[in-house]
């Protein structure tokens, strides 16, 4: 490591500390109590099952839940590209998740958020390949929504 890089690092660390930078999962971090404390409502569809699985990967499976979370999903599919023979060859899959975090002791809503994103897949002349691409796009969409929910919770964890 060059001497310039070391000097920069030594000067940057106090600046980060002075601006209030701290890891959210660190000791005393705002999200310290979130891991393993959120019980997500049971899934009722394949999409909600995939979303709950991804949320549990990111937030931990609830061991001693303090919070409950309900999620309402809305998924739309839009044709994006049309061939010369009027066949749709590409689809956008748009997803919105509205979630509510509540205190399990009082059942009081303590935070509400909305996230949205999209993914896409290509249609094929083979129906099985198109179905596999559609399923994969749906799984990617639920992963992206879970990432956004987790990020939003971590950013706003100091509010609850």
């Amino acid at each position: 490591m060059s001497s310039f890089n070391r000097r920069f690092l030594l000067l940057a660390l106090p600046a980060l500390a002075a601006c209030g930078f701290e890891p959210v999962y660190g000791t005393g971090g705002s999200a310290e109590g979130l891991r393993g404390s959120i019980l997500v409502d049971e899934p009722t569809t394949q999409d909600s099952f995939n979303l709950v699985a991804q949320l549990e990967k990111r937030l931990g499976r609830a061991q001693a839940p303090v919070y409950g979370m309900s999620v309402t999903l809305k998924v739309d599919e839009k044709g994006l590209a049309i061939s010369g023979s009027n066949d749709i060859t590409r689809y956008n899959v748009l997803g919105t998740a509205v979630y509510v975090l509540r205190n399990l002791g009082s059942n009081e809503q303590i935070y509400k958020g909305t996230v949205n994103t999209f993914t896409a897949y290509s249609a094929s002349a083979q129906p099985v390949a198109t179905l596999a691409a559609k399923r994969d796009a749906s799984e990617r969409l639920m992963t992206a929504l879970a990432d956004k929910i987790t990020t939003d919770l971590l950013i706003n964890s100091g509010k609850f």
Side-chain angles (χ1 to χ4, degrees), residues 54 99 142 157:
Q54 293 301 322
Y99 60 97
M142 294 306 118
S157 60

Side-chain angles (χ1 to χ4, degrees), residues 16-137:
L16 281 175
C19 76
F21 173 78
E22 67 179 42
V24 291
Y25 284 128
T27 304
S30 60
E32 184 179 24
L34 284 182
R35 185 132 188 90
S37 66
I38 298 176
L39 179 64
V40 184
D41 291 351
E42 289 185 24
T44 57
T45 65
Q46 185 64 47
D47 282 341
S48 64
F49 178 84
N50 290 334
L51 179 71
V52 169
Q54 293 301 322
L55 285 169
E56 287 181 346
K57 278 184 184 178
R58 282 145 186 79
L59 298 169
R61 185 170 281 201
Q63 301 300 320
V66 177
Y67 307 107
M69 181 191 296
S70 55
V71 182
T72 304
L73 284 172
K74 182 179 180 206
V75 177
D76 289 323
E77 190 173 285
K78 307 265 187 212
L80 189 62
I82 300 175
S83 70
S85 59
N86 283 338
D87 293 325
I88 299 175
T89 59
R90 187 123 177 109
Y91 292 90
N92 259 1
V93 185
L94 312 164
T96 300
V98 177
Y99 60 97
V100 174
L101 194 65
R102 63 191 181 282
N103 181 308
L104 286 177
S106 64
N107 211 28
E108 175 186 348
Q109 176 181 317
I110 56 173
Y111 187 74
K112 182 176 182 178
T114 302
V115 295
N116 53 56
T117 192
F118 72 96
T119 190
Y121 70 94
S122 294
S124 154
Q126 302 297 320
V128 173
T130 300
L131 183 59
K134 181 178 182 171
R135 269 194 216 130
D136 182 59

